[in-house]
Amino acid sequence: MAKSSADDEELRRACEAAIEGTKQEVVMSIRVAKTSGIIGIAGKLSRGAMAKPRVLAISTKAKGQRTKAFLRVLKYSNGGVLEPAKLYKLKHLSKVELVTNDPSGCTFMLGFDNLRSQSVTPPQWTMRNVDDRNRLLLCILNICKDVLGRLPKVVGIDVVEMALWAKENTPAITKQQANPQDGPVTAVAEEGEMTVTVERELVSQAEEEDMEALLGTYVMGIGEAEAFSERLKRELQALEAANVHAILENEPLIDEVLHGLESATNCVEDMDEWLGIFNVKLRHMREDIESIETRNNKLEMQSVNNKALIEELDRLLERLRIPSEYAVCLTGGSFEEARMPQNIEACEWLTNALHGLESPKLDPSYSNMRAVKEKRAEVNKLKTTFVRRASEFLRNYFSSLVDFMMSDKSYFSQRGQLKRPDHADLRYKCRTYARLLQHLKSLDKNCLGPLRKAYCTSLNLLLRREAREFANELRSSTKASKNPIVWFEGLTGLNQSVNNADTSAASEAYAKMLTIFIPLLVDESSFFAHFMCFEVPTLLPPEGVANGNKAGDDKDDDLGIMDIDENDNKSGQTSADLEALNESLHDLLDGIQEDFFAVVDWAGKIDPMCCISMHGITERYIPGQKADAAGFVRILLDDLESRISMQFSRFVEETCHQIERNERNVRQLGVLSFIPRFATLATRMEQYIQGQSRDLVDQAYTKFVTIMFVTLDKIAQTDLKYQDIMLLENYASFQNSLYDLANVVPTLAKFYHQASESYEQACTRHINTIIYYQFERLFQFARRIEDLMYTITPEEIPFQIGLSKADLRKVVKYSLSGVDKSISTMYKRLQKNLASEELLPSLWDKCKKEFLEKYESFVQLINKVYPTESIPSISEMRGLLASM
């Protein structure tokens, strides 16, 4: 047996996919053929009742404790995919009727009691074979009985035969126990070839009792089957004869029915011809309609395209249109402050119009249109006219602003009154045109060069005059000594002194100059960079001591123009812009450095020590000027620092020359004049040190002390007799005068230790000279013994010429008889040539110590070589020295 479509799993999955989303479960699906039910002559289907392939699917849906059953009709779409066509509820199924015209018994109709028109013949469904028919009808009847609790009326089908077919075609079944409320109990065949769903017997208990009662009318024994069969045959023949008789009696009626059928057939044939004619006309009409629809679609597409073209042309015309108010403003409008909003609005329109006529905002296909070219030329002409007018106005405006301030003396410092420059009003008036400059830059970058030059030229005159008037009044109002201080020249005595007047006012004046003008110049540079649209970062200098401003002093310097055009904000800057900015800043501030140099030279002439404090003040400002806009200010500060260093270096060189001139003087004794003067100079220099000027001062210390020590050595060598006395006195004076400073200044501490070593060496040489002068024969004898001990034994020395015991006694007698007088003479010689009395005690102590050490080594040497000879002991000599 061929496999039934009811067992086709792929067909069931296709049905489930078609009704996906309805929450219904497919119980059975089977392929059928659908006909309209109109029968023609000789039992043939008419032309309009051709069979159509369909799929019947029985589905159920659980809703709470109830179960609904549906019969779905699905058809094939153009792509061969199943799609829902009709939906019937099985609760409205009232009749299942077999079509008798189909001798195969595979065609049946399903009648539903809820159809709107009962006069319309329901569709007929034709199965492939009787088995498929029985499968479908048994499934329908089982679901109706179990779910709905009733059976539809069955016409033309023997229910007993269907029950017997079901038993014969049902293989071994595995029954599943279930709750009756869960729907029908499904029996699944173990064989994969056929699946039949059977719930209960089709014959109810009542029908079975009626059949038993009918059979009970034939009271026969068990062995009378043949008699029972004969009786049934006789009754069947009698029944057939009765039927034939009834038919013969109804022949006129049959003839009348046949005549009516023939008339109806003719009418149907005529109608079929009419329908054919109508079908041809409808086909022609359909072709005409399709042609009309095609032309209509083309016209509609053309209409849409024309509408889009008109809209695009309207947009293009709107883009090309120049508003009259903007044209008037750009070609002849006023640049007064009250009219600036209209000018800015016109600039914005002009910028957008220029961008709108260029790619990518303008489609490339429009670029070569004559109207676009003409309008672009017209807009460029407007741009050129406006840029020329605005540039000319701004050049005149900058010049007029500065001329007005130059003509008013109240803006500048006057006699007896220092005036701090105030450019707040100037910047406020300039900010009015900041947005205009930004738009000029976007329209034509080349126009900014002349504008920047005009602004720098005008403002440079103002800044230079402010600096000149301020510097002049600052110098005239500062009270300081006009006589220059000479530190080392012409000072031959220790009691002479220099003018110790306080000259810090000069350095304070310089500090005030920087405090006022450095922040001003930085602010002007920063404002200029913003105002003239340079694409470089412009940081303000740090607040506090580094720039001399108090917090909040320059609140008015907030330019307020960083948001002129947010589209132009860039994180980086080009080297070309930075180079142009530096050139413009040079034009803006060039010449103002001369007034700073004048203050530096003036302060340096009053007191060169001011250079130290001015150097420190200048160095404090340099690290704060890191912004690109402060480039010229950094150069100015570097030049000031170099000039101050040059001034101080000149002072140092001159002072060194003054020190060197001392060696040309007449013979000098005692402490030289520049030794104590240097201590005074160093103390004064330390008072002026500020910030990083320590290196400058240390370098000066190095030059001063080096030339002092060299000059001291040269002067001392002019008289070798008193060389050591002069050296030790001057080195001692150097140490005494710089003791306190050497404890806090590392550079001076180094020279302090150097002087200390030189002092000790001079002391040693001078003391040895005095000792040998008084006891020369004694220590000469000891030295001869020491020289011989390298070549012979101590026992042999007394036998050498001049070193006998007799010679020893003569030397001892000559040198040590009256030793107290010799020591007293040695003290007097030490005191005689020493100019600094305060050095005598320490020198005498050193002299006694040195003599005692030499005598001790002499005693040890004699005891070793002349053990039998007696000389004054060390303790005797120590006691004698202690009593002196």
Side-chain angles (χ1 to χ4, degrees), residues 150 254 286 549 642 881:
R150 64 178 181 83
I254 293 173
R286 187 181 301 110
N549 284 351
S642 299
L881 288 174

Side-chain angles (χ1 to χ4, degrees), residues 116-173:
R116 295 180 180 178
S117 177
Q118 294 292 340
S119 61
V120 178
T121 305
Q124 298 178 1
W125 310 99
T126 302
M127 312 300 292
R128 189 176 62 173
N129 50 46
V130 177
D131 291 335
D132 286 353
R133 183 203 71 182
N134 290 340
R135 283 190 181 89
L136 179 63
L137 294 180
L138 279 174
C139 184
I140 292 174
L141 293 175
N142 288 337
I143 290 177
C144 289
K145 191 166 186 179
D146 292 337
V147 176
L148 306 177
R150 64 178 181 83
L151 287 172
K153 182 178 179 181
V154 181
V155 179
I157 301 175
D158 193 341
V159 179
V160 177
E161 289 183 1
M162 288 185 64
L164 293 175
W165 178 89
K167 289 183 178 180
E168 292 175 358
N169 290 276
T170 303
I173 297 174

Side-chain angles (χ1 to χ4, degrees), residues 285-310:
M285 188 178 296
R286 187 181 301 110
E287 293 175 355
D288 294 340
I289 291 173
E290 289 178 356
S291 177
I292 293 171
E293 286 181 350
T294 301
R295 292 197 300 271
N296 185 41
N297 290 337
K298 292 180 179 179
L299 290 174
E300 185 176 357
M301 180 63 69
Q302 185 177 0
S303 175
V304 172
N305 291 336
N306 290 336
K307 183 178 180 181
L309 178 60
I310 291 173

Side-chain angles (χ1 to χ4, degrees), residues 275-288:
L275 290 174
I277 296 172
F278 290 153
N279 189 23
V280 173
K281 291 183 177 181
L282 287 174
R283 185 171 67 251
H284 293 165
M285 188 178 296
R286 187 181 301 110
E287 293 175 355
D288 294 340

Side-chain angles (χ1 to χ4, degrees), residues 10-19 29 31 53-55 73-77 79-85:
E10 184 176 355
L11 178 63
R12 176 173 294 196
R13 286 194 296 270
C15 294
E16 290 176 349
I19 64 173
S29 60
R31 294 185 179 90
R54 293 290 186 268
V55 174
V73 182
L74 297 97
K75 64 179 181 179
Y76 289 95
S77 63
V81 180
L82 287 177
E83 59 183 16

Side-chain angles (χ1 to χ4, degrees), residues 839-857:
L839 296 179
L840 184 59
S842 61
L843 284 176
W844 178 238
D845 290 340
K846 288 179 181 290
C847 184
K848 290 191 293 183
K849 181 179 179 182
E850 185 69 21
F851 174 76
L852 190 60
E853 290 177 355
K854 290 181 180 297
Y855 184 76
E856 184 176 358
S857 62

Side-chain angles (χ1 to χ4, degrees), residues 322-465:
I322 300 177
S324 58
E325 63 273 16
Y326 292 155
V328 172
C329 185
L330 292 172
T331 56
S334 172
F335 288 100
E336 294 179 358
E337 185 175 350
R339 293 283 301 169
M340 284 312 297
Q342 290 83 353
N343 288 324
I344 297 303
E345 186 177 353
C347 285
E348 291 175 351
W349 174 86
L350 181 60
T351 302
N352 294 332
L354 288 169
H355 292 167
L357 294 177
E358 302 293 341
S359 59
K361 290 191 175 181
L362 182 67
D363 194 287
S365 58
Y366 296 152
S367 299
N368 296 324
M369 292 179 63
R370 187 175 68 181
V372 174
K373 291 181 178 179
E374 292 176 353
K375 192 58 62 176
R376 187 184 295 118
E378 185 176 356
V379 173
N380 284 328
K381 184 177 180 181
L382 278 178
K383 179 192 76 172
T384 304
T385 302
F386 177 76
V387 169
R388 176 180 53 78
R389 292 178 57 250
S391 299
E392 183 178 357
F393 167 78
L394 288 175
R395 286 197 298 270
N396 296 332
Y397 182 75
F398 296 150
S399 178
S400 63
L401 278 180
V402 174
D403 290 342
F404 173 76
M405 296 182 68
M406 294 282 284
S407 62
D408 190 353
K409 293 184 179 180
S410 62
Y411 282 101
F412 306 101
S413 300
Q414 302 177 19
R415 184 174 297 276
Q417 179 184 4
L418 281 174
K419 178 69 175 179
R420 181 192 185 102
D422 185 6
H423 294 179
D425 186 56
L426 174 66
R427 294 177 190 173
Y428 175 77
K429 292 179 179 179
C430 289
R431 276 198 294 267
T432 305
Y433 299 95
R435 191 176 292 273
L436 177 62
L437 278 171
Q438 195 77 9
H439 284 291
L440 288 177
K441 177 186 177 182
S442 63
L443 292 173
D444 185 6
K445 287 186 177 181
N446 296 327
C447 73
L448 288 181
L451 286 176
R452 292 167 178 171
K453 186 72 174 179
Y455 179 88
C456 293
T457 302
S458 299
L459 199 63
N460 179 263
L461 296 175
L462 178 64
L463 290 173
R464 290 182 64 180
R465 182 174 174 185

